[in-house]
Amino acid sequence: MKAEALVFTGVAGFFAVLTVLYAVWGSVEPAGTAVLLLSFVMSALVSLFLWIQYAQRGARPQDRGHAAVHESAGPLAFFSPRSYYPVLTAAGTALLGVGVVYGLWLFLVGVGVLIPGIAGFVFQHNDR
């Protein structure tokens, strides 16, 4: 994960420099600064996660140039074979967005659909 962490660290650094330059050189509208700052924060969060994973798990076979192909064979993780919770979460998010436009009642329906979707994602394979 070291290569991925370095890439996202570079992206975060790019957005940090760009945010400072945009804010200092008289940006008329604050939305651009906010968006660039948010881009920096999101890429820095991914970078932090990847650095923590690299520190905890060490180098993968993909990180070493002299590694053989058979070293990375085998199961990598558990992936859910089927799940309806992404559809439920997407429907809840769509209702939430439409509820912002059409009224509080539809927004609350969206919250009511979204919460079970997120809870299903979290607790679907809790017994593993």
Side-chain angles (χ1 to χ4, degrees):
M1 299 239 179
K2 188 174 185 179
E4 294 91 344
L6 285 171
V7 167
F8 274 99
T9 302
V11 170
F14 171 76
F15 279 124
V17 169
L18 205 61
T19 303
V20 169
L21 289 176
Y22 190 83
V24 168
W25 278 346
S27 64
V28 179
E29 47 119 11
T33 306
V35 167
L36 287 172
L37 183 65
L38 186 63
S39 299
F40 161 70
V41 169
M42 288 190 297
S43 57
L45 184 65
V46 172
S47 174
L48 177 69
F49 171 77
L50 291 173
W51 280 115
I52 289 172
Q53 291 298 314
Y54 177 70
Q56 288 177 349
R57 298 182 182 184
R60 301 173 302 170
Q62 294 89 345
D63 293 332
R64 299 191 314 263
H66 61 279
V69 174
H70 67 83
E71 290 183 43
S72 62
L76 296 175
F78 173 75
F79 298 100
S80 179
R82 66 190 67 80
S83 177
Y84 297 109
Y85 293 113
V87 176
L88 191 63
T89 304
T93 304
L95 285 172
L96 211 78
V98 173
V100 169
V101 175
Y102 287 111
L104 182 64
W105 67 274
L106 194 55
F107 182 84
L108 294 175
V109 169
V111 169
V113 172
L114 184 64
I115 288 175
I118 292 173
F121 265 129
V122 172
F123 298 114
Q124 181 177 12
H125 298 288
N126 202 23
D127 56 345
R128 284 193 50 87

mmCIF file of all heavy atoms in Angstrom, residues 37-90:
data_model
loop_
_atom_site.group_PDB
_atom_site.id
_atom_site.type_symbol
_atom_site.label_atom_id
_atom_site.label_comp_id
_atom_site.label_asym_id
_atom_site.label_seq_id
_atom_site.Cartn_x
_atom_site.Cartn_y
_atom_site.Cartn_z
ATOM 1 N N LEU A 37 -10.348 23.098 -0.441
ATOM 2 C CA LEU A 37 -10.034 22.650 0.908
ATOM 3 C C LEU A 37 -10.663 21.292 1.189
ATOM 4 O O LEU A 37 -10.023 20.408 1.778
ATOM 5 C CB LEU A 37 -10.512 23.680 1.930
ATOM 6 C CG LEU A 37 -10.183 23.385 3.389
ATOM 7 C CD1 LEU A 37 -8.683 23.418 3.597
ATOM 8 C CD2 LEU A 37 -10.865 24.385 4.290
ATOM 9 N N LEU A 38 -11.895 21.100 0.755
ATOM 10 C CA LEU A 38 -12.556 19.816 0.930
ATOM 11 C C LEU A 38 -11.841 18.721 0.132
ATOM 12 O O LEU A 38 -11.703 17.591 0.610
ATOM 13 C CB LEU A 38 -14.022 19.923 0.510
ATOM 14 C CG LEU A 38 -14.890 18.709 0.774
ATOM 15 C CD1 LEU A 38 -14.969 18.436 2.270
ATOM 16 C CD2 LEU A 38 -16.281 18.924 0.212
ATOM 17 N N SER A 39 -11.365 19.042 -1.057
ATOM 18 C CA SER A 39 -10.607 18.071 -1.845
ATOM 19 C C SER A 39 -9.313 17.690 -1.135
ATOM 20 O O SER A 39 -8.919 16.518 -1.129
ATOM 21 C CB SER A 39 -10.282 18.650 -3.221
ATOM 22 O OG SER A 39 -11.445 18.935 -3.925
ATOM 23 N N PHE A 40 -8.665 18.660 -0.522
ATOM 24 C CA PHE A 40 -7.461 18.357 0.255
ATOM 25 C C PHE A 40 -7.783 17.447 1.431
ATOM 26 O O PHE A 40 -7.078 16.466 1.678
ATOM 27 C CB PHE A 40 -6.816 19.651 0.760
ATOM 28 C CG PHE A 40 -5.873 19.431 1.906
ATOM 29 C CD1 PHE A 40 -4.662 18.788 1.714
ATOM 30 C CD2 PHE A 40 -6.209 19.835 3.178
ATOM 31 C CE1 PHE A 40 -3.801 18.568 2.777
ATOM 32 C CE2 PHE A 40 -5.355 19.624 4.235
ATOM 33 C CZ PHE A 40 -4.139 18.989 4.033
ATOM 34 N N VAL A 41 -8.850 17.754 2.154
ATOM 35 C CA VAL A 41 -9.205 16.965 3.343
ATOM 36 C C VAL A 41 -9.544 15.525 2.951
ATOM 37 O O VAL A 41 -9.102 14.569 3.600
ATOM 38 C CB VAL A 41 -10.363 17.633 4.111
ATOM 39 C CG1 VAL A 41 -10.932 16.711 5.170
ATOM 40 C CG2 VAL A 41 -9.893 18.927 4.740
ATOM 41 N N MET A 42 -10.309 15.357 1.869
ATOM 42 C CA MET A 42 -10.684 13.999 1.462
ATOM 43 C C MET A 42 -9.479 13.194 0.991
ATOM 44 O O MET A 42 -9.338 12.019 1.336
ATOM 45 C CB MET A 42 -11.757 14.067 0.370
ATOM 46 C CG MET A 42 -13.101 14.506 0.888
ATOM 47 S SD MET A 42 -14.449 14.334 -0.285
ATOM 48 C CE MET A 42 -13.961 15.432 -1.572
ATOM 49 N N SER A 43 -8.604 13.796 0.200
ATOM 50 C CA SER A 43 -7.424 13.058 -0.251
ATOM 51 C C SER A 43 -6.456 12.808 0.902
ATOM 52 O O SER A 43 -5.798 11.768 0.946
ATOM 53 C CB SER A 43 -6.739 13.793 -1.400
ATOM 54 O OG SER A 43 -6.386 15.097 -1.020
ATOM 55 N N ALA A 44 -6.372 13.729 1.849
ATOM 56 C CA ALA A 44 -5.525 13.500 3.021
ATOM 57 C C ALA A 44 -6.081 12.379 3.889
ATOM 58 O O ALA A 44 -5.319 11.599 4.479
ATOM 59 C CB ALA A 44 -5.393 14.786 3.836
ATOM 60 N N LEU A 45 -7.405 12.262 3.965
ATOM 61 C CA LEU A 45 -8.017 11.180 4.731
ATOM 62 C C LEU A 45 -7.706 9.819 4.111
ATOM 63 O O LEU A 45 -7.356 8.873 4.817
ATOM 64 C CB LEU A 45 -9.525 11.405 4.814
ATOM 65 C CG LEU A 45 -10.322 10.422 5.660
ATOM 66 C CD1 LEU A 45 -9.915 10.547 7.119
ATOM 67 C CD2 LEU A 45 -11.799 10.683 5.514
ATOM 68 N N VAL A 46 -7.805 9.725 2.792
ATOM 69 C CA VAL A 46 -7.468 8.472 2.110
ATOM 70 C C VAL A 46 -5.991 8.174 2.291
ATOM 71 O O VAL A 46 -5.588 7.031 2.546
ATOM 72 C CB VAL A 46 -7.846 8.551 0.616
ATOM 73 C CG1 VAL A 46 -7.326 7.345 -0.137
ATOM 74 C CG2 VAL A 46 -9.340 8.674 0.452
ATOM 75 N N SER A 47 -5.155 9.187 2.173
ATOM 76 C CA SER A 47 -3.717 9.005 2.360
ATOM 77 C C SER A 47 -3.399 8.516 3.774
ATOM 78 O O SER A 47 -2.583 7.598 3.955
ATOM 79 C CB SER A 47 -2.998 10.323 2.090
ATOM 80 O OG SER A 47 -1.644 10.226 2.392
ATOM 81 N N LEU A 48 -4.032 9.101 4.771
ATOM 82 C CA LEU A 48 -3.821 8.681 6.152
ATOM 83 C C LEU A 48 -4.232 7.228 6.350
ATOM 84 O O LEU A 48 -3.515 6.447 6.983
ATOM 85 C CB LEU A 48 -4.594 9.589 7.103
ATOM 86 C CG LEU A 48 -4.529 9.232 8.579
ATOM 87 C CD1 LEU A 48 -3.132 9.470 9.119
ATOM 88 C CD2 LEU A 48 -5.552 10.025 9.363
ATOM 89 N N PHE A 49 -5.381 6.854 5.802
ATOM 90 C CA PHE A 49 -5.835 5.471 5.908
ATOM 91 C C PHE A 49 -4.833 4.515 5.276
ATOM 92 O O PHE A 49 -4.516 3.466 5.848
ATOM 93 C CB PHE A 49 -7.202 5.322 5.232
ATOM 94 C CG PHE A 49 -7.637 3.893 5.100
ATOM 95 C CD1 PHE A 49 -8.126 3.200 6.189
ATOM 96 C CD2 PHE A 49 -7.533 3.226 3.886
ATOM 97 C CE1 PHE A 49 -8.520 1.873 6.073
ATOM 98 C CE2 PHE A 49 -7.922 1.910 3.756
ATOM 99 C CZ PHE A 49 -8.415 1.228 4.855
ATOM 100 N N LEU A 50 -4.324 4.851 4.101
ATOM 101 C CA LEU A 50 -3.374 3.969 3.421
ATOM 102 C C LEU A 50 -2.046 3.882 4.169
ATOM 103 O O LEU A 50 -1.433 2.811 4.235
ATOM 104 C CB LEU A 50 -3.154 4.441 1.985
ATOM 105 C CG LEU A 50 -4.360 4.263 1.065
ATOM 106 C CD1 LEU A 50 -4.105 4.921 -0.280
ATOM 107 C CD2 LEU A 50 -4.695 2.798 0.887
ATOM 108 N N TRP A 51 -1.587 4.986 4.740
ATOM 109 C CA TRP A 51 -0.355 4.931 5.526
ATOM 110 C C TRP A 51 -0.535 4.079 6.784
ATOM 111 O O TRP A 51 0.371 3.331 7.181
ATOM 112 C CB TRP A 51 0.119 6.333 5.907
ATOM 113 C CG TRP A 51 0.851 7.029 4.809
ATOM 114 C CD1 TRP A 51 0.451 8.146 4.152
ATOM 115 C CD2 TRP A 51 2.105 6.655 4.225
ATOM 116 N NE1 TRP A 51 1.368 8.478 3.188
ATOM 117 C CE2 TRP A 51 2.401 7.591 3.218
ATOM 118 C CE3 TRP A 51 3.005 5.622 4.451
ATOM 119 C CZ2 TRP A 51 3.546 7.524 2.443
ATOM 120 C CZ3 TRP A 51 4.156 5.559 3.676
ATOM 121 C CH2 TRP A 51 4.415 6.495 2.690
ATOM 122 N N ILE A 52 -1.687 4.181 7.425
ATOM 123 C CA ILE A 52 -1.952 3.356 8.614
ATOM 124 C C ILE A 52 -2.004 1.880 8.239
ATOM 125 O O ILE A 52 -1.446 1.027 8.930
ATOM 126 C CB ILE A 52 -3.251 3.811 9.313
ATOM 127 C CG1 ILE A 52 -3.028 5.165 9.982
ATOM 128 C CG2 ILE A 52 -3.714 2.790 10.334
ATOM 129 C CD1 ILE A 52 -4.295 5.791 10.520
ATOM 130 N N GLN A 53 -2.658 1.557 7.119
ATOM 131 C CA GLN A 53 -2.705 0.166 6.662
ATOM 132 C C GLN A 53 -1.312 -0.352 6.338
ATOM 133 O O GLN A 53 -0.973 -1.503 6.633
ATOM 134 C CB GLN A 53 -3.613 0.035 5.431
ATOM 135 C CG GLN A 53 -5.069 0.250 5.733
ATOM 136 C CD GLN A 53 -5.597 -0.780 6.711
ATOM 137 O OE1 GLN A 53 -5.362 -1.959 6.586
ATOM 138 N NE2 GLN A 53 -6.327 -0.301 7.708
ATOM 139 N N TYR A 54 -0.493 0.477 5.725
ATOM 140 C CA TYR A 54 0.877 0.067 5.404
ATOM 141 C C TYR A 54 1.687 -0.155 6.683
ATOM 142 O O TYR A 54 2.469 -1.104 6.768
ATOM 143 C CB TYR A 54 1.549 1.118 4.516
ATOM 144 C CG TYR A 54 2.986 0.798 4.208
ATOM 145 C CD1 TYR A 54 3.311 -0.253 3.364
ATOM 146 C CD2 TYR A 54 4.018 1.531 4.769
ATOM 147 C CE1 TYR A 54 4.622 -0.560 3.080
ATOM 148 C CE2 TYR A 54 5.330 1.232 4.498
ATOM 149 C CZ TYR A 54 5.628 0.187 3.649
ATOM 150 O OH TYR A 54 6.936 -0.114 3.383
ATOM 151 N N ALA A 55 1.477 0.701 7.675
ATOM 152 C CA ALA A 55 2.220 0.543 8.931
ATOM 153 C C ALA A 55 1.776 -0.702 9.691
ATOM 154 O O ALA A 55 2.599 -1.376 10.322
ATOM 155 C CB ALA A 55 2.027 1.784 9.804
ATOM 156 N N GLN A 56 0.497 -1.046 9.634
ATOM 157 C CA GLN A 56 -0.004 -2.201 10.367
ATOM 158 C C GLN A 56 0.307 -3.516 9.672
ATOM 159 O O GLN A 56 0.659 -4.497 10.316
ATOM 160 C CB GLN A 56 -1.512 -2.098 10.560
ATOM 161 C CG GLN A 56 -1.930 -1.057 11.563
ATOM 162 C CD GLN A 56 -3.441 -0.946 11.676
ATOM 163 O OE1 GLN A 56 -4.187 -1.493 10.872
ATOM 164 N NE2 GLN A 56 -3.890 -0.209 12.681
ATOM 165 N N ARG A 57 0.181 -3.551 8.342
ATOM 166 C CA ARG A 57 0.298 -4.816 7.611
ATOM 167 C C ARG A 57 1.630 -4.999 6.907
ATOM 168 O O ARG A 57 1.927 -6.097 6.451
ATOM 169 C CB ARG A 57 -0.837 -4.919 6.590
ATOM 170 C CG ARG A 57 -2.181 -4.936 7.258
ATOM 171 C CD ARG A 57 -3.270 -5.089 6.268
ATOM 172 N NE ARG A 57 -4.563 -5.047 6.953
ATOM 173 C CZ ARG A 57 -5.698 -5.223 6.362
ATOM 174 N NH1 ARG A 57 -5.742 -5.451 5.077
ATOM 175 N NH2 ARG A 57 -6.819 -5.167 7.048
ATOM 176 N N GLY A 58 2.398 -3.954 6.770
ATOM 177 C CA GLY A 58 3.689 -4.068 6.117
ATOM 178 C C GLY A 58 3.562 -4.090 4.594
ATOM 179 O O GLY A 58 2.509 -3.836 4.023
ATOM 180 N N ALA A 59 4.662 -4.435 3.965
ATOM 181 C CA ALA A 59 4.700 -4.435 2.504
ATOM 182 C C ALA A 59 3.975 -5.650 1.944
ATOM 183 O O ALA A 59 4.127 -6.764 2.441
ATOM 184 C CB ALA A 59 6.143 -4.418 2.025
ATOM 185 N N ARG A 60 3.188 -5.430 0.916
ATOM 186 C CA ARG A 60 2.520 -6.517 0.216
ATOM 187 C C ARG A 60 3.457 -7.055 -0.861
ATOM 188 O O ARG A 60 4.447 -6.412 -1.207
ATOM 189 C CB ARG A 60 1.236 -6.007 -0.450
ATOM 190 C CG ARG A 60 0.245 -5.416 0.483
ATOM 191 C CD ARG A 60 -0.892 -4.805 -0.289
ATOM 192 N NE ARG A 60 -0.352 -3.780 -1.195
ATOM 193 C CZ ARG A 60 -1.048 -3.192 -2.154
ATOM 194 N NH1 ARG A 60 -2.275 -3.524 -2.365
ATOM 195 N NH2 ARG A 60 -0.494 -2.271 -2.909
ATOM 196 N N PRO A 61 3.149 -8.208 -1.419
ATOM 197 C CA PRO A 61 3.966 -8.681 -2.540
ATOM 198 C C PRO A 61 3.942 -7.710 -3.725
ATOM 199 O O PRO A 61 4.930 -7.609 -4.458
ATOM 200 C CB PRO A 61 3.323 -10.015 -2.918
ATOM 201 C CG PRO A 61 2.668 -10.486 -1.673
ATOM 202 C CD PRO A 61 2.229 -9.246 -0.963
ATOM 203 N N GLN A 62 2.854 -6.993 -3.905
ATOM 204 C CA GLN A 62 2.780 -6.036 -4.997
ATOM 205 C C GLN A 62 3.708 -4.845 -4.783
ATOM 206 O O GLN A 62 4.047 -4.140 -5.731
ATOM 207 C CB GLN A 62 1.345 -5.517 -5.168
ATOM 208 C CG GLN A 62 0.359 -6.554 -5.607
ATOM 209 C CD GLN A 62 -0.289 -7.280 -4.443
ATOM 210 O OE1 GLN A 62 0.180 -7.218 -3.310
ATOM 211 N NE2 GLN A 62 -1.362 -7.995 -4.726
ATOM 212 N N ASP A 63 4.110 -4.601 -3.534
ATOM 213 C CA ASP A 63 4.995 -3.482 -3.231
ATOM 214 C C ASP A 63 6.460 -3.816 -3.491
ATOM 215 O O ASP A 63 7.288 -2.913 -3.582
ATOM 216 C CB ASP A 63 4.832 -3.047 -1.765
ATOM 217 C CG ASP A 63 3.473 -2.447 -1.497
ATOM 218 O OD1 ASP A 63 2.889 -1.880 -2.434
ATOM 219 O OD2 ASP A 63 2.996 -2.542 -0.351
ATOM 220 N N ARG A 64 6.772 -5.077 -3.578
ATOM 221 C CA ARG A 64 8.158 -5.491 -3.813
ATOM 222 C C ARG A 64 8.357 -5.809 -5.295
ATOM 223 O O ARG A 64 7.571 -6.531 -5.905
ATOM 224 C CB ARG A 64 8.489 -6.717 -2.976
ATOM 225 C CG ARG A 64 8.373 -6.476 -1.489
ATOM 226 C CD ARG A 64 8.948 -7.619 -0.672
ATOM 227 N NE ARG A 64 8.543 -8.933 -1.141
ATOM 228 C CZ ARG A 64 7.545 -9.641 -0.629
ATOM 229 N NH1 ARG A 64 6.820 -9.133 0.352
ATOM 230 N NH2 ARG A 64 7.253 -10.841 -1.087
ATOM 231 N N GLY A 65 9.417 -5.293 -5.857
ATOM 232 C CA GLY A 65 9.678 -5.504 -7.274
ATOM 233 C C GLY A 65 10.130 -6.908 -7.609
ATOM 234 O O GLY A 65 9.942 -7.377 -8.735
ATOM 235 N N HIS A 66 10.709 -7.625 -6.668
ATOM 236 C CA HIS A 66 11.244 -8.958 -6.927
ATOM 237 C C HIS A 66 10.316 -10.078 -6.441
ATOM 238 O O HIS A 66 10.735 -11.230 -6.388
ATOM 239 C CB HIS A 66 12.608 -9.090 -6.250
ATOM 240 C CG HIS A 66 12.542 -8.918 -4.749
ATOM 241 N ND1 HIS A 66 12.503 -7.668 -4.155
ATOM 242 C CD2 HIS A 66 12.491 -9.815 -3.753
ATOM 243 C CE1 HIS A 66 12.422 -7.816 -2.850
ATOM 244 N NE2 HIS A 66 12.418 -9.113 -2.565
ATOM 245 N N ALA A 67 9.088 -9.771 -6.114
ATOM 246 C CA ALA A 67 8.162 -10.782 -5.598
ATOM 247 C C ALA A 67 7.661 -11.676 -6.728
ATOM 248 O O ALA A 67 7.478 -11.244 -7.866
ATOM 249 C CB ALA A 67 6.978 -10.106 -4.924
ATOM 250 N N ALA A 68 7.448 -12.944 -6.387
ATOM 251 C CA ALA A 68 6.902 -13.895 -7.348
ATOM 252 C C ALA A 68 5.377 -13.796 -7.361
ATOM 253 O O ALA A 68 4.749 -13.333 -6.403
ATOM 254 C CB ALA A 68 7.325 -15.309 -6.984
ATOM 255 N N VAL A 69 4.778 -14.275 -8.440
ATOM 256 C CA VAL A 69 3.332 -14.174 -8.602
ATOM 257 C C VAL A 69 2.602 -15.005 -7.555
ATOM 258 O O VAL A 69 1.572 -14.593 -7.010
ATOM 259 C CB VAL A 69 2.927 -14.609 -10.029
ATOM 260 C CG1 VAL A 69 1.417 -14.644 -10.167
ATOM 261 C CG2 VAL A 69 3.531 -13.679 -11.047
ATOM 262 N N HIS A 70 3.135 -16.178 -7.231
ATOM 263 C CA HIS A 70 2.437 -17.068 -6.301
ATOM 264 C C HIS A 70 2.396 -16.534 -4.870
ATOM 265 O O HIS A 70 1.625 -17.031 -4.051
ATOM 266 C CB HIS A 70 3.074 -18.463 -6.325
ATOM 267 C CG HIS A 70 4.467 -18.492 -5.770
ATOM 268 N ND1 HIS A 70 4.725 -18.577 -4.434
ATOM 269 C CD2 HIS A 70 5.673 -18.429 -6.384
ATOM 270 C CE1 HIS A 70 6.031 -18.580 -4.223
ATOM 271 N NE2 HIS A 70 6.632 -18.490 -5.412
ATOM 272 N N GLU A 71 3.197 -15.526 -4.553
ATOM 273 C CA GLU A 71 3.184 -14.968 -3.197
ATOM 274 C C GLU A 71 1.884 -14.222 -2.878
ATOM 275 O O GLU A 71 1.501 -14.111 -1.727
ATOM 276 C CB GLU A 71 4.362 -14.023 -3.003
ATOM 277 C CG GLU A 71 5.701 -14.720 -2.959
ATOM 278 C CD GLU A 71 6.808 -13.731 -2.701
ATOM 279 O OE1 GLU A 71 6.633 -12.847 -1.829
ATOM 280 O OE2 GLU A 71 7.848 -13.844 -3.358
ATOM 281 N N SER A 72 1.237 -13.704 -3.903
ATOM 282 C CA SER A 72 -0.006 -12.970 -3.653
ATOM 283 C C SER A 72 -1.240 -13.810 -3.949
ATOM 284 O O SER A 72 -2.345 -13.281 -4.021
ATOM 285 C CB SER A 72 -0.040 -11.693 -4.498
ATOM 286 O OG SER A 72 -0.019 -12.020 -5.864
ATOM 287 N N ALA A 73 -1.060 -15.111 -4.092
ATOM 288 C CA ALA A 73 -2.212 -15.981 -4.352
ATOM 289 C C ALA A 73 -2.984 -16.226 -3.065
ATOM 290 O O ALA A 73 -2.457 -16.090 -1.968
ATOM 291 C CB ALA A 73 -1.738 -17.313 -4.930
ATOM 292 N N GLY A 74 -4.244 -16.591 -3.218
ATOM 293 C CA GLY A 74 -5.073 -16.898 -2.061
ATOM 294 C C GLY A 74 -6.120 -15.832 -1.837
ATOM 295 O O GLY A 74 -6.159 -14.811 -2.517
ATOM 296 N N PRO A 75 -6.986 -16.067 -0.863
ATOM 297 C CA PRO A 75 -8.058 -15.095 -0.604
ATOM 298 C C PRO A 75 -7.508 -13.807 0.002
ATOM 299 O O PRO A 75 -6.651 -13.838 0.882
ATOM 300 C CB PRO A 75 -8.971 -15.824 0.378
ATOM 301 C CG PRO A 75 -8.100 -16.840 1.031
ATOM 302 C CD PRO A 75 -7.074 -17.236 0.004
ATOM 303 N N LEU A 76 -8.004 -12.696 -0.477
ATOM 304 C CA LEU A 76 -7.557 -11.400 0.027
ATOM 305 C C LEU A 76 -8.451 -10.891 1.149
ATOM 306 O O LEU A 76 -7.981 -10.363 2.133
ATOM 307 C CB LEU A 76 -7.548 -10.372 -1.105
ATOM 308 C CG LEU A 76 -6.569 -10.646 -2.235
ATOM 309 C CD1 LEU A 76 -6.745 -9.614 -3.335
ATOM 310 C CD2 LEU A 76 -5.156 -10.634 -1.715
ATOM 311 N N ALA A 77 -9.752 -11.066 0.980
ATOM 312 C CA ALA A 77 -10.706 -10.575 1.970
ATOM 313 C C ALA A 77 -12.041 -11.254 1.720
ATOM 314 O O ALA A 77 -12.199 -12.015 0.777
ATOM 315 C CB ALA A 77 -10.849 -9.057 1.873
ATOM 316 N N PHE A 78 -12.990 -10.938 2.570
ATOM 317 C CA PHE A 78 -14.336 -11.464 2.396
ATOM 318 C C PHE A 78 -15.170 -10.438 1.647
ATOM 319 O O PHE A 78 -15.216 -9.269 2.016
ATOM 320 C CB PHE A 78 -14.976 -11.761 3.756
ATOM 321 C CG PHE A 78 -16.416 -12.153 3.642
ATOM 322 C CD1 PHE A 78 -16.773 -13.400 3.184
ATOM 323 C CD2 PHE A 78 -17.421 -11.259 3.971
ATOM 324 C CE1 PHE A 78 -18.097 -13.764 3.065
ATOM 325 C CE2 PHE A 78 -18.748 -11.607 3.864
ATOM 326 C CZ PHE A 78 -19.085 -12.865 3.402
ATOM 327 N N PHE A 79 -15.815 -10.880 0.575
ATOM 328 C CA PHE A 79 -16.703 -10.025 -0.192
ATOM 329 C C PHE A 79 -18.101 -10.636 -0.166
ATOM 330 O O PHE A 79 -18.264 -11.826 -0.405
ATOM 331 C CB PHE A 79 -16.218 -9.886 -1.634
ATOM 332 C CG PHE A 79 -14.865 -9.258 -1.730
ATOM 333 C CD1 PHE A 79 -13.745 -10.036 -1.915
ATOM 334 C CD2 PHE A 79 -14.715 -7.886 -1.607
ATOM 335 C CE1 PHE A 79 -12.488 -9.466 -1.987
ATOM 336 C CE2 PHE A 79 -13.474 -7.310 -1.682
ATOM 337 C CZ PHE A 79 -12.351 -8.093 -1.874
ATOM 338 N N SER A 80 -19.081 -9.822 0.117
ATOM 339 C CA SER A 80 -20.447 -10.300 0.231
ATOM 340 C C SER A 80 -20.934 -10.853 -1.108
ATOM 341 O O SER A 80 -20.815 -10.195 -2.138
ATOM 342 C CB SER A 80 -21.353 -9.148 0.660
ATOM 343 O OG SER A 80 -22.678 -9.590 0.742
ATOM 344 N N PRO A 81 -21.492 -12.062 -1.110
ATOM 345 C CA PRO A 81 -21.936 -12.637 -2.381
ATOM 346 C C PRO A 81 -23.146 -11.928 -2.974
ATOM 347 O O PRO A 81 -23.262 -11.801 -4.175
ATOM 348 C CB PRO A 81 -22.269 -14.083 -2.026
ATOM 349 C CG PRO A 81 -22.518 -14.081 -0.572
ATOM 350 C CD PRO A 81 -21.699 -12.978 0.012
ATOM 351 N N ARG A 82 -24.047 -11.469 -2.149
ATOM 352 C CA ARG A 82 -25.205 -10.720 -2.640
ATOM 353 C C ARG A 82 -25.735 -9.861 -1.487
ATOM 354 O O ARG A 82 -25.653 -10.249 -0.324
ATOM 355 C CB ARG A 82 -26.294 -11.645 -3.163
ATOM 356 C CG ARG A 82 -26.940 -12.503 -2.107
ATOM 357 C CD ARG A 82 -27.830 -13.568 -2.673
ATOM 358 N NE ARG A 82 -27.127 -14.579 -3.421
ATOM 359 C CZ ARG A 82 -26.471 -15.607 -2.895
ATOM 360 N NH1 ARG A 82 -26.401 -15.716 -1.596
ATOM 361 N NH2 ARG A 82 -25.873 -16.490 -3.643
ATOM 362 N N SER A 83 -26.246 -8.712 -1.873
ATOM 363 C CA SER A 83 -26.769 -7.816 -0.866
ATOM 364 C C SER A 83 -27.759 -6.851 -1.511
ATOM 365 O O SER A 83 -27.521 -6.336 -2.600
ATOM 366 C CB SER A 83 -25.634 -7.024 -0.222
ATOM 367 O OG SER A 83 -26.147 -6.103 0.698
ATOM 368 N N TYR A 84 -28.866 -6.615 -0.827
ATOM 369 C CA TYR A 84 -29.851 -5.651 -1.291
ATOM 370 C C TYR A 84 -29.682 -4.300 -0.610
ATOM 371 O O TYR A 84 -30.395 -3.354 -0.928
ATOM 372 C CB TYR A 84 -31.267 -6.176 -1.042
ATOM 373 C CG TYR A 84 -31.544 -7.437 -1.825
ATOM 374 C CD1 TYR A 84 -31.644 -8.670 -1.192
ATOM 375 C CD2 TYR A 84 -31.678 -7.391 -3.201
ATOM 376 C CE1 TYR A 84 -31.877 -9.821 -1.912
ATOM 377 C CE2 TYR A 84 -31.911 -8.547 -3.931
ATOM 378 C CZ TYR A 84 -32.018 -9.759 -3.282
ATOM 379 O OH TYR A 84 -32.242 -10.890 -3.998
ATOM 380 N N TYR A 85 -28.746 -4.217 0.314
ATOM 381 C CA TYR A 85 -28.576 -2.970 1.053
ATOM 382 C C TYR A 85 -28.029 -1.818 0.212
ATOM 383 O O TYR A 85 -28.368 -0.665 0.483
ATOM 384 C CB TYR A 85 -27.710 -3.203 2.290
ATOM 385 C CG TYR A 85 -28.413 -4.079 3.296
ATOM 386 C CD1 TYR A 85 -27.948 -5.352 3.589
ATOM 387 C CD2 TYR A 85 -29.571 -3.642 3.929
ATOM 388 C CE1 TYR A 85 -28.608 -6.155 4.479
ATOM 389 C CE2 TYR A 85 -30.232 -4.443 4.834
ATOM 390 C CZ TYR A 85 -29.740 -5.696 5.108
ATOM 391 O OH TYR A 85 -30.399 -6.494 5.995
ATOM 392 N N PRO A 86 -27.209 -2.056 -0.810
ATOM 393 C CA PRO A 86 -26.827 -0.918 -1.656
ATOM 394 C C PRO A 86 -28.019 -0.274 -2.359
ATOM 395 O O PRO A 86 -28.085 0.948 -2.492
ATOM 396 C CB PRO A 86 -25.859 -1.532 -2.669
ATOM 397 C CG PRO A 86 -25.302 -2.723 -1.988
ATOM 398 C CD PRO A 86 -26.408 -3.246 -1.130
ATOM 399 N N VAL A 87 -28.973 -1.094 -2.790
ATOM 400 C CA VAL A 87 -30.162 -0.554 -3.450
ATOM 401 C C VAL A 87 -30.991 0.246 -2.451
ATOM 402 O O VAL A 87 -31.481 1.344 -2.763
ATOM 403 C CB VAL A 87 -31.000 -1.698 -4.071
ATOM 404 C CG1 VAL A 87 -32.276 -1.175 -4.668
ATOM 405 C CG2 VAL A 87 -30.182 -2.449 -5.091
ATOM 406 N N LEU A 88 -31.142 -0.267 -1.250
ATOM 407 C CA LEU A 88 -31.899 0.427 -0.215
ATOM 408 C C LEU A 88 -31.222 1.743 0.166
ATOM 409 O O LEU A 88 -31.888 2.775 0.323
ATOM 410 C CB LEU A 88 -32.050 -0.478 1.013
ATOM 411 C CG LEU A 88 -33.007 -0.042 2.098
ATOM 412 C CD1 LEU A 88 -34.431 0.017 1.548
ATOM 413 C CD2 LEU A 88 -32.946 -1.001 3.270
ATOM 414 N N THR A 89 -29.908 1.724 0.281
ATOM 415 C CA THR A 89 -29.171 2.940 0.621
ATOM 416 C C THR A 89 -29.259 3.964 -0.505
ATOM 417 O O THR A 89 -29.419 5.162 -0.251
ATOM 418 C CB THR A 89 -27.704 2.589 0.921
ATOM 419 O OG1 THR A 89 -27.671 1.604 1.955
ATOM 420 C CG2 THR A 89 -26.924 3.808 1.359
ATOM 421 N N ALA A 90 -29.159 3.509 -1.757
ATOM 422 C CA ALA A 90 -29.275 4.433 -2.889
ATOM 423 C C ALA A 90 -30.668 5.037 -2.961
ATOM 424 O O ALA A 90 -30.821 6.243 -3.231
ATOM 425 C CB ALA A 90 -28.945 3.701 -4.186
#
